[in-house]
Amino acid sequence: AGGIEEQGLQLGGEVEPAPVQPDPQVPPRGLPDKAALLAGLGAPAGEPAGIPGPSLIIAFSVDCLACVAELRQMAAVETRAREAGLRVVWAGIDADFKRVEEEFAKNQAPSRPWRLSTTLPTPSVYLLRGDRTDVFTGRFAVTAALEEAGRQR
């Protein structure tokens, strides 16, 4: 527990800069990649399948308290997303999809829920822009994704 010199460490000298690497485009461990996520999405009846253009896919469950809090803010989330040039897809993972539809009706949702057959932690948010995919998870995932979308714009 001596000083720096006693421990054999030296101060000073030249520091070599480390090259900056771009952020990886791979979702965190255990989460599906973009292709797997899109393959598991089912559009509401009467809507075209597929996700055209830049999008924010919000995977949620009505059993998730953080998700329900976001669902109560759907109109505000969709407004912020539109301002960032994004389409929002609310993707419910619940087996009992009637409960999802009831939650949307209760919150006077501005859009209809999509089904997601892929299991993942909720909330999870995929920000899709061209070849770039950013994934956010946890309680503040929607806020973080919207902030990132604003920076990328």
Side-chain angles (χ1 to χ4, degrees):
I4 291 176
E5 281 98 25
E6 289 178 30
Q7 295 178 17
L9 301 175
Q10 296 178 7
L11 295 177
E14 294 201 24
V15 177
E16 301 241 353
V20 176
Q21 299 295 322
D23 291 337
Q25 293 299 304
V26 178
R29 229 170 80 213
L31 293 178
D33 65 9
K34 176 182 174 180
L37 178 79
L38 295 177
L41 272 176
E47 289 202 27
I51 307 295
S55 301
L56 193 67
I57 301 175
I58 303 171
F60 70 92
S61 168
V62 295
D63 293 325
C64 163
L65 295 177
C67 298
V68 171
E70 293 294 351
L71 293 174
R72 291 183 183 135
Q73 302 296 320
M74 276 189 268
V77 168
E78 291 200 19
T79 297
R80 278 188 70 191
R82 261 192 317 278
E83 290 169 356
L86 300 171
R87 174 183 181 197
V88 177
V89 173
W90 297 91
I93 67 165
D94 300 276
D96 183 359
F97 209 70
K98 185 169 178 56
R99 290 179 58 216
V100 171
E101 291 168 335
E102 289 169 354
E103 190 69 35
F104 268 59
K106 181 171 79 175
N107 289 299
Q108 300 176 347
S111 57
R112 295 172 46 205
W114 289 49
R115 289 180 191 260
L116 182 60
S117 61
T118 307
T119 302
L120 55 135
T122 55
S124 289
V125 180
Y126 284 70
L127 174 57
L128 309 178
R129 288 190 170 221
D131 291 339
R132 184 178 175 104
T133 301
D134 293 301
V135 182
F136 304 84
T137 60
R139 182 175 178 192
F140 301 107
V142 173
T143 300
L146 288 168
E147 287 176 2
E148 179 63 22
R151 279 192 293 275
Q152 290 179 13
R153 189 154 191 198

